[in-house]
Amino acid sequence: MSDAKHITIIGAGLAGALLATLLAQRGWKVDVFERRGDPRLHGYAGGRSINLALAERGLHALRQAGADLGVMAQAVMMRGRMVHPLGGEPELQRYGRDDSEVIWSINRGELNIVLIEAAEAAGATLHFDRRLDHVDFDRNAIVVKGDGQEETHPFVALVGADGAGSTLRAEMARQADLGERPEWLDHGYKELEIPPGPGGSFRIEQNALHIWPRGHYMCIALPNDERTFTVTLFMPHKGPHPSFETVPDGETAAAFFASDFPDAVPLIPQLETDYDRNPTGMLATLYLQRWHLGGQAVLVGDAAHAMVPFHGQGMNCAFEDCVALANHLDTGTDFKAAFTAFEAERMPNAAAIQHMALENYLEMRDRVDDADYRLQRALELVLQERHPGRFVPHYAMVSFMRIPYAVALERSEIQRSILQRATTGIDHLDAIDWPAVDADVLSRLALLEDTPA
Ligand code: FAD
Ligand code: 8R5
């Protein structure tokens, strides 16, 4: 690929800006077209302070690009889940063994700016206010619009990092059947805010991801570095109370929170106006059978595999895609071979995290304050000690390791069956039949080797 080391990326969001950095650093000529204006000039579109959970997979990708320090400078550590039961005291469930096993809350706007700066510093050219309108695959040219202009640019190969509503994906689908299958979740979400407390303090524990589990619905809150929290309410769009149908506006939301999330009410002074003003978000998983069109175009991140948010892995997975694609492009012989190898490597892993993300909704909203769930969690920690490198808790495999998601899923399913078998009819760890559990672990789980740095 030495004579054609030019790539055109659509979208300078999280994946597009990171991929541009990785390829420009390896000597590629990179052009990126982004629909929105330059966030360094106009502020980040959206305005509201939206945060994301960054875990080891995403952090590792940022390290590869040398962008980790800039991002971590403003990150807030989240040690675990702070579970707020109805009518009980909040309790912290640690995610890992100690503070080396944590996740980080980061501001999307600041993260995007760090990545855009890294891309430019590495030599990529970013074209803001340039929305992909259509692609002429016969002539290898794209048409972009913005600022009242229409421009045509030739390309060698295209990468679609233009998010869940990808225009490039729609253009590719006009050339070949991508086997697209969107599955909409019948739950949606609404964002609210906890402002800083008196004297600019955090109003609730800052180093945690807060969860108010309520069975069929839940609230979560992630800390921001400016001492606010972004709260997200998840519940069904339609159907019996509570749903967005039975809680249609701020006034009904105030009454709903007073009965179902009473400890959160004094924390969210703008609940009524925010509820009315903020749109209700939609959630979906997008499955594709094909991510590339020969050697002409390939999709990454949400454009290829949008997922529901409940494992906090959408960005982390998109960042892993970028490292994988950059590696295949750099070692491959041609674009078609690189895109084919990328798709073969990543598609099973994307499917695995899409599945685990759906499953984690039930866990977060319903299981976290269950007695048998807590017993299984306690057993997971003991088994991790008894069988190092063999029994690794599910959450740790997804969030603190970089083993392929498909391997994490396969092992999690085996582990769940071990945990269930061991705890059936038992309500305390003292009653566990240790020799039987140890034998189960040894016979069903091979030693795990983590991915080298
Ligand atoms: P995006 O980041 O959406 O970027 C797409 C870019 O393409 C945008 O800049 C867009 O303007 C641009 N674009 C779109 N169309 C065009 C066009 N026609 N021409 C040119 N440019 C175009 N993930 C996590 O890992 N952890 C979390 O905690 C988490 N929380 C989330 C919270 C919220 C509220 C949401 C909505 C998502 C969250 N996610 C989280 C998921 C995460 O945001 C996505 O998985 C991630 O942003 C995907 O990156 P991307 O680059 O593929 O898409
Ligand atoms: N995305 C997250 C987790 C897992 C937490 C756990 C869950 C909001 C729209 Cl719902 C959700 C997680 O298992 O204890 N880590 O990070 C982020 C999440 O939601 C984000 C903020 C979100 C899309 C709205």
Side-chain angles (χ1 to χ4, degrees):
M1 262 186 287
S2 55
D3 55 334
K5 285 181 84 169
H6 178 212
I7 198 108
T8 301
I9 300 174
I10 310 302
L14 301 184
L18 179 66
L19 181 63
T21 308
L22 292 168
L23 289 175
Q25 284 171 345
R26 296 170 196 206
W28 286 65
K29 176 171 161 20
V30 182
D31 281 284
V32 188
F33 293 89
E34 166 57 47
R35 174 175 64 182
R36 291 179 300 200
D38 186 337
R40 293 166 297 184
L41 306 178
H42 317 288
Y44 194 72
R48 280 178 290 143
S49 178
I50 296 297
N51 44 22
L52 302 131
L54 176 70
E56 177 56 24
R57 293 167 197 273
L59 192 50
H60 181 77
L62 293 173
R63 282 185 208 115
Q64 306 293 296
D68 53 317
L69 294 180
V71 173
M72 294 307 284
Q74 49 95 25
V76 182
M77 183 197 282
M78 299 188 289
R79 291 196 170 91
R81 303 169 171 155
M82 186 67 81
V83 178
H84 298 247
L86 185 58
E89 284 304 302
E91 190 184 87
L92 183 74
Q93 293 179 4
R94 263 194 178 271
Y95 285 133
R97 287 171 290 193
D98 54 45
D99 282 359
S100 68
E101 294 185 329
V102 297
I103 57 174
W104 302 89
S105 181
I106 50 174
N107 179 282
R108 179 190 294 265
E110 290 173 25
L111 170 64
N112 209 347
I113 287 174
V114 168
L115 293 175
I116 284 167
E117 280 173 345
E120 280 190 350
T125 307
L126 281 81
H127 309 260
F128 290 101
D129 283 311
R130 293 291 178 274
R131 170 178 62 82
L132 176 69
D133 186 74
H134 64 274
V135 183
D136 186 337
F137 284 106
D138 297 327
R139 293 192 177 79
N140 273 32
I142 58 168
V143 174
V144 297
K145 290 185 175 171
D147 280 344
Q149 312 272 345
E150 178 176 303
E151 298 168 359
T152 302
H153 295 270
F155 68 83
V156 180
L158 297 173
V159 178
D162 50 349
S166 172
T167 303
L168 180 56
R169 187 179 68 227
E171 290 296 291
M172 290 163 66
R174 284 148 54 94
Q175 305 293 309
D177 183 4
L178 304 178
E180 264 178 80
R181 190 168 54 86
E183 250 178 36
W184 291 94
L185 196 69
D186 46 16
H187 293 225
Y189 68 95
K190 185 79 86 176
E191 282 160 354
L192 304 165
E193 195 191 70
I194 300 177
S201 58
F202 281 97
R203 286 201 183 200
I204 48 176
E205 167 59 46
Q206 67 182 94
N207 294 120
L209 188 157
H210 294 260
I211 309 179
W212 289 259
R214 295 295 183 267
H216 288 288
Y217 54 99
M218 68 176 184
C219 272
I220 66 166
L222 273 70
N224 290 301
D225 63 340
E226 61 267 41
R227 305 185 172 253
T228 62
F229 289 81
T230 305
V231 176
T232 313
L233 164 68
F234 293 93
M235 68 179 173
H237 287 294
K238 295 190 163 75
H241 185 71
S243 69
F244 284 106
E245 218 169 41
T246 71
V247 188
D249 54 28
E251 205 182 316
T252 45
F256 167 50
F257 271 72
S259 65
D260 290 49
F261 305 104
D263 64 324
V265 172
L267 304 173
I268 316 175
Q270 306 279 15
L271 193 145
E272 286 200 31
T273 44
D274 280 357
Y275 198 94
D276 283 326
R277 195 171 301 153
N278 296 341
T280 303
M282 309 277 284
L283 300 166
T285 308
L286 177 69
Y287 303 98
L288 264 71
Q289 275 164 2
R290 233 175 331 146
W291 289 351
H292 73 106
L293 202 64
Q296 285 189 294
V298 68
L299 301 171
V300 299
D302 281 9
H305 49 63
M307 66 189 72
V308 296
F310 306 109
H311 230 305
Q313 286 289 318
M315 161 187 62
N316 287 285
C317 179
F319 282 175
E320 258 191 350
D321 286 353
C322 294
V323 173
L325 181 58
N327 287 340
H328 286 295
L329 282 170
D330 231 32
T331 54
T333 48
D334 61 37
F335 283 104
K336 188 177 176 188
F339 294 170
T340 304
F342 165 74
E343 182 187 297
E345 177 190 338
R346 294 299 296 167
M347 202 180 264
N349 292 311
I353 187 59
Q354 287 177 314
H355 176 82
M356 293 188 283
L358 281 162
E359 286 194 326
N360 210 48
Y361 188 22
L362 191 74
E363 173 154 335
M364 290 180 77
R365 72 184 197 212
D366 200 31
R367 302 257 299 131
V368 287
D369 55 354
D370 250 33
D372 60 316
Y373 174 81
R374 280 150 54 154
L375 180 63
Q376 289 187 15
R377 285 265 312 175
L379 178 56
E380 268 194 324
L381 296 175
V382 177
L383 290 178
Q384 180 176 30
E385 289 283 304
R386 288 172 86 91
H387 302 281
R390 197 183 294 270
F391 194 108
V392 183
H394 163 78
Y395 193 87
M397 287 194 286
V398 172
S399 301
F400 309 137
M401 295 179 79
R402 291 183 288 109
I403 55 169
Y405 286 122
V407 174
L409 171 59
E410 189 191 1
R411 296 181 69 101
S412 284
E413 285 175 343
I414 296 168
Q415 291 181 172
R416 188 181 308 152
S417 120
I418 294 173
L419 294 171
Q420 272 163 0
R421 192 184 289 177
T423 55
T424 302
I426 279 175
D427 60 8
H428 199 276
L429 287 184
D430 293 346
I432 299 276
D433 178 352
W434 294 107
V437 181
D438 289 339
D440 212 9
V441 170
L442 290 170
S443 70
R444 294 169 73 188
L445 292 166
L447 260 181
L448 188 54
E449 275 171 49
D450 195 8
T451 332

